[in-house]
Amino acid sequence: MNTRFLEKEYDYVKPATLDEALDILAEKENVKVLAGGTDLIVKLKTDALEDMDIMMDINSIDELCGCCINADGDLVIGATAKISHLEKNDDIKAAYPALSEAMHAMASVSVRNMATMGGNFMNASPVADTAGPAMCYGAQVCLKSKKGERTIDATEFFLKPGVTAAEDDELLTGFVIPKPADNTGAAFVKIGRVKSDIAKVSITAVMEREGDTVKSCRLAMGSVAPKPLFLADIGAGLEGQKMTEELIMKTADQIRDFVKPIGDHGTTAEYRKEMSGLIARDCLMEAWKRSGGELA
Amino acid sequence: MSKHRITLTVNGEVHRLTVKSNELLLNVLRDRLHLTGAKYGCGIAECGACTVLKGDESVMSCLVPAVAADGWELTTAEGLVTADGELNVVQEEFLEKSAVQCGFCTPGMVVASTALLRENPDPTEDEVRDYLRGNFCRCTGYHAIVEAVLAAAVDAQNGGRL
Ligand SMILES: Cc1cc2nc3c(=O)[nH]c(=O)nc-3n(C[C@H](O)[C@H](O)[C@H](O)COP(=O)(O)OP(=O)(O)OC[C@H]3O[C@@H](n4cnc5c(N)ncnc54)[C@H](O)[C@@H]3O)c2cc1C
Ligand code: FES
Ligand code: FES
């Protein structure tokens, strides 16, 4: 494996506008988008990418680089906004702590200064750290092509490893993430070999509290299935229940028993399963605490 | 394969170059501009040997297509030294604290540490270790490196040059 040079030959284009980019995607074959390149260039170097004739750099398209709160109070993240800028964004830290934590837990600062959330989604690894928080916060993924625009719920975006619901001629333009309700608490917990590593297993919880009961709960996990896993039923099962330490233990066991991870280099399936329960416990407790709740 | 005219500002100097679409920034810096501070270690953003600054932010130059860096202002470890050879406080403290053994990781370490201190002038030890988690050192065991960065923070607060 040669990682010193790029042996592959291709053309490079850098459209200045979204329209131009969508034209290129519609008209040309084998176009790959370059956002931060932290997955794309690694794949090019490790020969994991067969067909790329054109690399399309989207970093000059002004309307894709922002991050703001829109008129409805929802968070809007552009496709080329850098992970390092997002993780430090005050609005995200305050209202979407699990997302900020997941972003901070990714790779190293130099990688995060390059990487984007759009790239994390389009790369569609089961490990993708931003996927869990996005799914739990109810993020909508915005896609655009010459044919039009559409949004897909983050929980429906991932199909299998490396494959998403986006079509070849669609550009991921960004994300819209609804404003969390009052009394919402959220947390992200990840276990890796060392801090700069990808997750051996990760979990996100976003919980809404009403007094001492759970009003709603959304849970997701990374690295335990062929795609980022949204635990719809286990989360919904907590709704209306009075929160206790016992309930957290029971839910953590339920999660551990439910997931069917695989083993790979350095991590056994059993370890992933055991850790799933353990981090579920920590994550649920932290989310509940942050919602303002106390544990009976 | 397409070729492109690009402009790179490296350590304050403007370079106009023609690059092929598949040339990498690290190789352009080393082989064409003869700035050999940034090193090739892993080539896949896992070791930090190739770290350079884009503005005040560190990036891994092994993953950047040179053409995508058109217009960037870059600083390499060489650029942290003044024209008359004066090191910055991080470089000084790496020497002072013996944070250098074989030296292969050192340019990346000092560049990343400089970025840290420009962003966070008074980091805790944990913050230093967290910030440098993508810069690997095979020799020192990191202790001296962390000490050097913490000492450099104090120097910079006392008016030393970052
Ligand atoms: C050393 C290292 C450590 C890492 N650690 C982690 C980690 O801890 N957690 C984690 O989740 N990931 C990790 N990653 C993976 C990677 O950094 C992330 O997935 C990152 O978010 C990818 O973003 P990018 O902008 O660099 O994507 P790119 O590499 O630019 O793109 C990734 C893929 O998505 C496509 N694409 C990108 N943007 C768009 C768009 N807007 N529309 C359509 N297609 C698009 C590209 O064509 C490509 O196929 C790591 C990578 C490295 C090299
Ligand atoms: S050579 Fe770039 S990070 Fe290792
Ligand atoms: S001094 Fe040898 S790798 Fe760090």
Side-chain angles (χ1 to χ4, degrees):
Chain A
M1 184 172 79
N2 161 39
T3 63
R4 190 186 284 267
F5 304 101
L6 284 179
E7 282 170 12
K8 198 170 181 63
E9 302 199 345
Y10 52 85
D11 288 336
Y12 169 91
V13 291
K14 194 174 194 180
T17 65
L18 192 51
D19 276 343
E20 217 183 299
L22 299 182
D23 280 338
I24 293 168
L25 284 176
E27 287 159 18
K28 304 276 199 236
E29 297 273 305
N30 299 334
V31 182
K32 279 282 169 188
V33 170
L34 174 78
T38 62
D39 282 316
L40 184 68
I41 306 296
V42 172
K43 283 191 176 167
L44 285 173
K45 287 187 173 186
T46 54
D47 289 333
L49 202 79
E50 299 100 51
D51 299 322
M52 183 184 80
D53 295 327
I54 300 177
M55 179 187 284
M56 182 171 83
D57 185 343
I58 58 171
N59 288 289
S60 283
I61 304 172
D62 284 344
E63 61 250 65
L64 297 182
C65 72
C67 167
C68 66
I69 301 291
N70 71 12
D72 299 330
D74 301 337
L75 173 67
V76 180
I77 293 177
T80 59
K82 298 298 181 194
I83 295 280
S84 63
H85 296 182
L86 298 169
E87 86 189 59
K88 286 181 277 195
N89 179 293
D90 287 334
D91 292 323
I92 299 182
K93 272 208 270 198
Y96 306 87
L99 182 60
S100 173
E101 283 169 347
M103 287 176 163
H104 184 73
M106 286 172 71
S108 59
V109 64
S110 305
V111 169
R112 301 199 304 279
N113 282 335
M114 305 162 76
T116 64
M117 185 164 162
N120 200 222
F121 263 62
M122 289 303 298
N123 189 55
S125 157
V127 168
D129 282 325
T130 64
M135 293 193 290
C136 292
Y137 282 119
Q140 302 296 306
V141 186
C142 308
L143 300 172
K144 199 166 183 179
S145 72
K146 288 301 273 184
K147 293 181 219 121
E149 262 176 279
R150 61 179 180 133
T151 58
I152 300 185
D153 196 276
T155 59
E156 287 162 14
F157 186 76
F158 301 101
L159 304 183
K160 54 184 184 181
V163 182
T164 73
E167 302 288 339
D168 279 350
D169 65 343
E170 282 182 314
L171 190 73
L172 188 161
T173 55
F175 302 85
V176 178
I177 315 186
K179 181 179 190 271
D182 290 344
N183 299 323
T184 294
F188 172 87
V189 180
K190 160 176 169 178
I191 293 186
R193 189 179 55 91
V194 293
K195 272 175 102 183
S196 62
D197 263 358
I198 55 170
K200 284 177 184 285
V201 47
S202 73
I203 185 163
T204 311
V206 175
M207 249 194 273
E208 194 187 342
R209 180 183 61 85
E210 192 165 48
D212 58 4
T213 60
V214 180
K215 188 167 176 200
S216 73
C217 177
R218 291 167 71 94
L219 301 168
M221 293 197 70
S223 307
V224 294
K227 56 181 184 175
L229 186 67
F230 183 58
L231 296 165
D233 294 343
I234 298 180
L238 290 175
E239 275 164 34
Q241 297 217 48
K242 184 168 178 307
M243 179 52 81
T244 58
E245 207 170 317
E246 207 191 330
L247 180 64
I248 287 183
M249 297 301 183
K250 206 180 86 193
T251 309
D253 287 351
Q254 202 184 347
I255 289 171
R256 183 199 58 210
D257 296 342
F258 177 78
V259 295
K260 295 183 196 67
I262 56 164
D264 54 19
H265 50 269
T267 314
T268 62
E270 294 73 25
Y271 180 83
R272 284 207 163 92
K273 216 170 162 58
E274 279 311 311
M275 288 305 122
S276 297
L278 207 69
I279 61 173
R281 210 167 72 190
D282 291 351
C283 187
L284 285 163
M285 286 207 183
E286 187 63 24
W288 180 251
K289 202 169 86 189
R290 289 180 183 175
S291 75
E294 280 166 23
L295 273 185
Chain B
M1 185 163 50
S2 54
K3 287 189 177 177
H4 305 266
R5 293 280 296 164
I6 64 164
T7 304
L8 294 180
T9 306
V10 187
N11 303 332
E13 229 179 281
V14 179
H15 300 271
R16 292 199 172 75
L17 304 158
T18 300
V19 295
K20 286 186 279 186
S21 51
N22 68 355
E23 271 184 85
L24 294 162
L25 179 60
L26 174 62
N27 299 338
V28 168
L29 291 172
R30 290 180 56 83
D31 301 339
R32 297 183 58 180
L33 304 183
H34 307 295
L35 293 164
T36 54
K39 301 280 185 278
Y40 167 78
C42 64
I44 48 173
E46 287 183 352
C47 76
C50 67
T51 310
V52 300
L53 295 183
K54 172 194 178 191
D56 279 333
E57 291 183 346
S58 62
V59 294
M60 306 292 202
S61 60
C62 67
L63 283 194
V64 179
V67 54
D70 183 25
W72 289 12
E73 291 196 14
L74 298 163
T75 308
T76 66
E78 290 92 337
L80 300 177
V81 185
T82 60
D84 47 14
E86 187 200 311
L87 305 179
N88 87 352
V89 284
V90 176
Q91 294 168 317
E92 281 291 355
E93 290 293 356
F94 266 62
L95 292 178
E96 188 62 33
K97 302 282 183 222
S98 301
V100 181
Q101 286 187 24
C102 80
F104 199 84
C105 70
T106 311
M109 285 285 181
V110 297
V111 164
S113 305
T114 299
L116 163 66
L117 296 183
R118 286 180 183 173
E119 181 186 332
N120 178 0
D122 191 18
T124 63
E125 178 177 339
D126 279 353
E127 285 170 338
V128 174
R129 288 184 183 274
D130 184 56
Y131 202 90
L132 296 179
R133 73 193 193 206
N135 290 77
F136 289 7
C137 176
R138 287 286 155 213
C139 306
T140 65
Y142 300 101
H143 182 77
I145 291 176
V146 175
E147 275 200 331
V149 177
L150 290 171
V154 175
D155 298 346
Q157 285 164 41
N158 292 330
R161 190 181 61 85
L162 253 186

